[in-house]
């Protein structure tokens, strides 16, 4: 009887490890019907708190069918019971071309490299056409946004998960409210975010932080910019990771990256050269236990929240990291609010650029400026008897 029970437990465990995905049934863990019901119930109630807990649990939202209900809730728009919206107008085609459309076309041509891997060339071409339309529509409707290379990697995940009627709304809200910092005219704010990763690592493992600190944290740029979509090669993995990234604060992606670094501690200490460290850190391991990484990243976030990080104060108050600090509040924001924050950040960037230019000008002409200041001072002293007498009295007579 005990043997039969062990066999039954083994079959049950094996069953839990099998896939249940719309695209790749062998890639997505199948959880109990009760857990599916919990997720669907949270979607019906639009309960973001419950969805956050469920997104971190094993398997995330389990299937694309559930994601079509859950992702819109997290991004702040409504869909029907089938995950659909009323079809949007194609009036965007008549809008002015966005300045980055040529780059969009080049990147779309390089899309769908890793998945889906069972499509014919005709099917892939159809998906690329739809991806181009999706990106172009979002950019034309929000022309202030700047395209960045890797944006197409994010959009292709939304294209594969969501039905056509909701894709543009989802990507528009993600772009304007969540990843807005990456779509500014400069990548400066994105670079500033990377400074938080060493802070997170240092809070747990100062020795590892010092070791990794031999190279700048630019190694994390590709993964953080693209929500890991550029480097994760399995569709089931990236869809599951998106569950957590959309359910959590925008800053959570930095905690995920930091947690991945922490799990690679032994491997990283094998490398001393900064170039080799950068190369290793910029390559995402393909054998990651994503459920464990997400769970541990959530614990890391709870123990060391952003406000405790030394570089958090350097992040703009208009950054999506701060304006989206609470997912439920971010979901209630409108694109007009996102645009206002964008403009505030753009003004900050312009001011910073002018200040940097002025400082470079001063430094380049420091000899001339010093000579002018000294000359003006000499003239002033000669014309001011009080200061001349004061200086004369302060200098010992043996110097004359």
């Amino acid at each position: 009887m005990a043997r039969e029970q062990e066999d039954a437990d083994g079959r049950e465990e094996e069953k839990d490890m099998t896939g249940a995905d719309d695209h790749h049934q062998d890639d997505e863990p199948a959880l109990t019907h009760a857990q599916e019901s919990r997720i669907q119930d949270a979607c019906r109630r639009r309960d973001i708190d419950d969805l956050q807990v469920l997104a971190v649990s094993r398997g995330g939202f389990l299937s694309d069918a559930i994601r079509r209900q859950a992702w819109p809730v997290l991004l702040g728009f409504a869909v029907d019971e089938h995950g659909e919206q009323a079809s949007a107008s194609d009036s965007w085609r008549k809008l002015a071309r966005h300045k980055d459309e040529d780059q969009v076309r080049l990147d779309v041509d390089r899309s769908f490299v890793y998945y889906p891997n069972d499509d014919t060339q005709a099917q892939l071409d159809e998906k690329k056409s739809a991806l181009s339309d999706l990106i172009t529509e979002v950019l034309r409707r929000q022309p202030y946004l700047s395209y960045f290379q890797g944006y197409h990697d994010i959009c292709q995940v939304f294209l594969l998960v969501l039905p056509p009627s909701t894709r543009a709304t989802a990507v528009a809200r993600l772009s304007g409210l969540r990843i807005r910092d990456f779509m500014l005219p400069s990548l400066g704010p994105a670079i500033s975010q990377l400074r938080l990763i060493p802070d997170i690592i240092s809070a747990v493992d100062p020795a590892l932080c010092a070791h990794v600190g031999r190279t700048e944290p630019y190694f994390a740029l590709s993964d953080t910019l693209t929500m890991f979509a550029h480097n994760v090669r399995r569709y089931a993995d990236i869809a599951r990771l998106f569950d957590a990234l959309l359910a959590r604060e925008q800053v959570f992606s930095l905690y995920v990256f930091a947690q991945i670094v922490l799990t690679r501690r032994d491997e990283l200490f094998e490398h001393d050269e900064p170039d080799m460290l950068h190369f290793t850190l910029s390559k995402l391991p393909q054998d990651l236990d994503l459920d464990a990484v997400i769970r541990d990243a959530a614990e890391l976030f709870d123990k060391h929240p952003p406000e405790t990080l030394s570089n958090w104060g350097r992040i703009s108050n208009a950054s999506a990291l701060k304006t989206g600090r609470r997912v439920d509040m971010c979901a209630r924001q409108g694109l007009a609010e996102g645009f206002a924050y964008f403009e505030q950040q753009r003004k900050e960037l312009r001011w910073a650029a002018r200040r940097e230019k002025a400082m470079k000008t001063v430094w380049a002409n420091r000899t001339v400026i010093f000579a002018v200041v000294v000359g003006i001072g000499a003239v002033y002293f000669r014309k001011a008897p009080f200061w001349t007498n004061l200086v004369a009295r302060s200098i010992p007579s043996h110097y004359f």
Side-chain angles (χ1 to χ4, degrees):
M1 185 67 181
R3 178 64 179 173
E4 292 174 357
Q5 183 61 44
E6 288 179 7
D7 291 343
D9 291 343
R11 288 193 298 270
E12 190 64 29
E13 181 178 353
E14 182 178 356
K15 180 181 178 182
D16 285 344
M17 294 301 294
T18 59
D21 183 80
D22 291 357
H23 293 266
H24 300 279
Q25 292 184 355
D26 292 333
D27 289 339
E28 189 81 20
L31 301 186
T32 64
H33 177 71
Q35 186 165 352
E36 289 183 359
S37 298
R38 280 191 64 194
I39 301 170
Q40 291 167 339
D41 180 61
C43 290
R44 282 191 292 270
R45 293 183 289 106
R46 303 186 69 81
D47 190 328
I48 288 179
D49 289 340
D50 272 4
L51 287 175
Q52 286 184 312
V53 173
L54 292 162
V56 173
S57 64
R58 184 169 178 265
F61 295 144
L62 310 181
S63 70
D64 286 355
I66 297 178
R67 292 185 179 104
R68 291 175 191 129
Q69 296 289 334
W71 288 11
V73 174
L74 297 170
L75 289 169
F77 66 97
V79 295
D80 63 22
E81 65 273 17
H82 304 294
E84 299 274 3
Q85 273 189 323
S87 296
S89 167
D90 65 352
S91 60
W92 63 269
R93 296 182 184 277
K94 300 177 182 179
L95 298 175
R97 277 176 54 87
H98 189 276
K99 60 183 176 62
D100 297 326
E101 287 187 29
D102 289 340
Q103 185 61 53
V104 170
R105 186 181 69 255
L106 293 174
D107 285 354
V108 167
D109 286 342
R110 297 190 290 265
S111 60
F112 302 107
V113 174
Y114 299 123
Y115 51 79
N117 51 22
D118 52 359
D119 278 12
T120 65
Q121 187 57 51
Q123 290 172 320
L124 286 175
D125 289 342
E126 184 178 351
K127 285 183 171 64
K128 289 181 180 181
S129 177
L131 179 60
S132 178
D133 284 352
L134 172 60
I135 297 172
T136 303
E137 177 178 355
V138 171
L139 293 179
R140 288 190 183 183
R141 292 190 187 277
Q142 297 171 272
Y144 58 90
L145 297 175
S146 294
Y147 176 84
F148 62 88
Q149 287 186 280
Y151 183 74
H152 71 291
D153 293 312
I154 297 173
C155 293
Q156 75 178 25
V157 178
F158 279 88
L159 184 143
L160 293 172
V161 172
L162 300 179
S165 64
T166 64
R167 294 168 185 166
T169 301
V171 173
R173 291 188 61 80
L174 177 85
S175 303
L177 302 174
R178 297 288 200 96
I179 61 172
R180 179 180 64 243
D181 293 13
F182 306 151
M183 307 192 78
L184 286 157
S186 163
L187 278 179
I191 300 300
S192 295
Q193 292 187 17
L194 300 183
R195 305 292 179 192
L196 298 175
I197 294 175
D199 290 349
I200 300 169
I201 298 171
S202 178
V204 178
D205 192 335
L208 178 60
C209 181
H211 183 71
V212 171
R214 299 182 184 193
T215 182
E216 291 289 332
Y218 303 140
F219 49 73
L221 188 60
S222 175
D223 284 319
T224 54
L225 272 180
T226 67
M227 298 172 62
F228 298 88
H230 184 70
N231 289 324
V232 173
R233 299 184 180 184
R234 291 174 16 129
Y235 173 76
D237 288 343
I238 193 60
R240 189 269 170 276
L241 185 53
F242 268 41
D243 292 342
L245 297 180
L246 294 177
R248 297 298 302 252
E249 305 84 343
Q250 182 60 27
V251 72
F252 187 66
S253 63
L254 302 176
Y255 283 81
V256 171
F257 192 94
Q259 182 58 43
I260 292 172
V261 174
L262 290 167
T263 63
R264 304 175 71 186
R265 187 181 199 277
D266 293 342
E267 175 191 3
L268 294 172
F269 270 109
E270 294 175 0
H271 306 293
D272 291 324
E273 292 296 325
D275 288 347
M276 195 62 195
L277 272 173
H278 178 94
F279 176 80
T280 303
L281 287 162
S282 64
K283 300 297 181 183
L284 199 67
Q286 295 303 310
D287 58 349
L288 286 172
D289 182 347
L290 281 178
D291 282 325
V293 167
I294 291 168
R295 181 195 64 234
D296 293 343
E299 293 179 1
L300 191 60
F301 182 95
D302 291 339
K303 292 178 181 177
H304 308 285
E307 291 77 12
T308 66
L309 307 178
S310 60
N311 280 295
W312 182 249
R314 298 177 181 271
I315 302 296
S316 166
N317 288 330
S319 166
L321 294 192
K322 291 186 175 179
T323 63
R325 183 64 178 81
R326 283 182 50 185
V327 178
D328 57 339
M329 291 182 64
C330 186
R332 292 195 293 270
Q333 293 172 357
L335 292 180
E337 291 175 83
F339 175 66
Y341 289 129
F342 183 95
E343 284 297 292
Q344 182 178 334
Q345 282 183 284
R346 183 152 57 179
K347 289 178 182 177
E348 292 172 358
L349 287 172
R350 288 172 179 167
W351 183 85
R354 287 196 294 268
R355 181 183 61 182
E356 182 179 1
K357 183 178 179 181
M359 292 300 295
K360 286 182 178 179
T361 301
V362 169
W363 182 251
N365 297 282
R366 60 191 180 279
T367 304
V368 174
I369 293 172
F370 179 74
V372 170
V373 170
V374 170
I376 292 174
V379 172
Y380 179 78
F381 279 125
R382 284 198 299 271
K383 292 186 177 181
F386 171 79
W387 289 106
T388 303
N389 294 335
L390 181 63
V391 171
R393 286 196 300 269
S394 67
I395 300 177
S397 59
H398 66 268
Y399 280 107
F400 295 94

